[in-house]
Amino acid sequence: MHVLLTGASSGIGEGMARVFAEAGWDLTLVARRRAELERVAASIEGRVRVNVVAADVAALDALDALVGAAEAELGPIDVLVNNAGVQIVAPTASVDPADGERLVTVNLLAPFRLTHAALARMIPRGRGTIVDISSLSALAPTPGMYHYSASKAALAAASESLRAEVRPRGVHVVTVYPGPIETPMARRAIDAYPEDPTRGLPVGDARTLAVRIRRAIERRHDRVIYPRAYGIARMFPGTTRWVMDHFSPTPRALPPAAG
Ligand SMILES: NC(=O)c1ccc[n+]([C@@H]2O[C@H](COP(=O)([O-])OP(=O)(O)OC[C@H]3O[C@@H](n4cnc5c(N)ncnc54)[C@H](OP(=O)(O)O)[C@@H]3O)[C@@H](O)[C@H]2O)c1
């Protein structure tokens, strides 16, 4: 089994790298920070074959070649995990539009390109799995996360729409909706608010989420919502919207740009 995993240098991606290695799955690990990827690879090497690829997924035109090179290195990709992501938490009017557009490129357009490249190889083989790491903010679009909520809702919609289309071709799609998970991204998001917005709410950990994703791949489950309590957002979208509209905290303004 060969898994191409983006965003493997930190947080949830790092958790998946470890948990997938424990299952004996070979890994192509992608992120920008080579040193962090090497650190993750060093902690799992020996158990499985690991291919470290330092790349910026925002370089969309390079992604098809990245997938081809990964297959040349470790063989056909059985699982693509679209996990790399960035987040902006700030009053929307204060966000530089170029930063918002870059977020959409990383969180949405890169998964589109990688999925396209993977499907072109998986469909002729009649097998493969695409895993899309969306977010609870796709089910509960969040004030102060304008671009992020949009990118994750669009990724979830794309992922859910793809499943039935490619199932007859042997390709499985898993859509993942993590709630707050203790990672560097979540820490930065919490720090953007005057008070911790997750206080009193369920917060998950990367390892448990990674185990659930591995199980979803193995058992061909359609989606993962973790912590599980947030499944309520999917069951009751109208009530969720009302709660978000009336009780969401407001993030602090971004510090003024330097220079
Ligand atoms: N933590 C949460 O509460 C939470 C909740 C819902 C959804 N998610 C989603 O889960 C995924 C992982 O998030 P995390 O919490 O683990 O965050 P994280 O610790 O900040 O990790 C993000 C990963 O994405 C990589 N990345 C970012 N921009 C990239 C780029 N342009 N090219 C290649 N790699 C890039 C980072 O690596 P480099 O910096 O080395 O490039 C890093 O490995 C994201 O898609 C996030 O939106 C997280």
Side-chain angles (χ1 to χ4, degrees):
M1 184 100 138
H2 174 195
V3 183
L4 190 155
L5 171 59
T6 69
S9 62
S10 170
I12 295 168
E14 178 173 347
M16 283 191 279
R18 292 188 205 291
V19 165
F20 294 174
E22 287 164 17
W25 298 354
D26 294 333
L27 297 166
T28 293
L29 304 179
V30 181
R32 291 165 302 180
R33 289 171 294 166
R34 179 177 291 282
E36 291 304 304
L37 287 176
E38 300 282 7
R39 175 185 60 77
V40 175
S43 72
I44 56 182
E45 226 143 24
R47 274 181 277 185
V48 296
R49 295 184 298 160
V50 182
N51 174 29
V52 163
V53 179
D56 184 341
V57 297
L60 299 178
D61 290 337
L63 294 180
D64 188 72
L66 183 152
V67 169
E71 294 213 330
E73 193 69 30
L74 292 184
I77 291 167
D78 300 287
V79 182
L80 164 67
V81 186
N82 287 311
N83 170 71
V86 288
Q87 190 175 46
I88 300 171
V89 184
T92 302
S94 72
V95 177
D96 183 331
D99 291 341
E101 287 156 17
R102 184 176 155 76
L103 177 153
V104 172
T105 302
V106 172
N107 290 9
L108 181 65
L109 302 184
F112 279 5
R113 289 287 188 105
L114 287 165
T115 297
H116 185 266
L119 286 178
R121 293 162 171 89
M122 290 175 176
I123 286 173
R125 292 179 199 134
R127 66 185 165 86
T129 302
I130 309 279
V131 181
D132 292 308
I133 309 299
S134 176
S135 168
L136 178 63
S137 58
L139 303 172
T142 312
M145 298 191 197
Y146 179 79
H147 299 90
Y148 183 79
S149 297
S151 71
K152 291 298 184 178
L155 179 62
S159 187
E160 299 275 4
S161 91
L162 186 64
R163 183 175 307 111
E165 180 196 327
V166 297
R167 182 181 286 135
R169 315 298 296 274
V171 178
H172 182 56
V173 177
V174 182
T175 314
V176 183
Y177 299 89
I181 308 294
E182 187 52 56
T183 70
M185 177 187 285
R187 178 49 47 200
R188 284 192 298 274
I190 289 167
D191 289 346
Y193 293 90
E195 282 174 25
D196 182 349
T198 65
R199 204 169 42 136
L201 296 174
V203 175
D205 66 276
R207 183 176 173 83
T208 305
L209 175 58
V211 168
R212 290 183 187 202
I213 293 169
R214 187 176 77 190
R215 202 181 300 149
I217 294 167
E218 289 169 336
R219 301 182 187 175
R220 293 174 91 76
H221 293 166
D222 291 345
R223 57 188 71 77
V224 175
I225 302 179
Y226 169 77
R228 203 168 275 163
Y230 294 111
I232 201 163
R234 185 161 174 272
M235 281 190 278
F236 301 106
T239 308
T240 300
R241 190 64 262 149
W242 187 87
V243 170
M244 298 304 290
D245 284 345
H246 291 86
F247 297 105
S248 298
T250 311
R252 290 192 195 94
L254 283 172

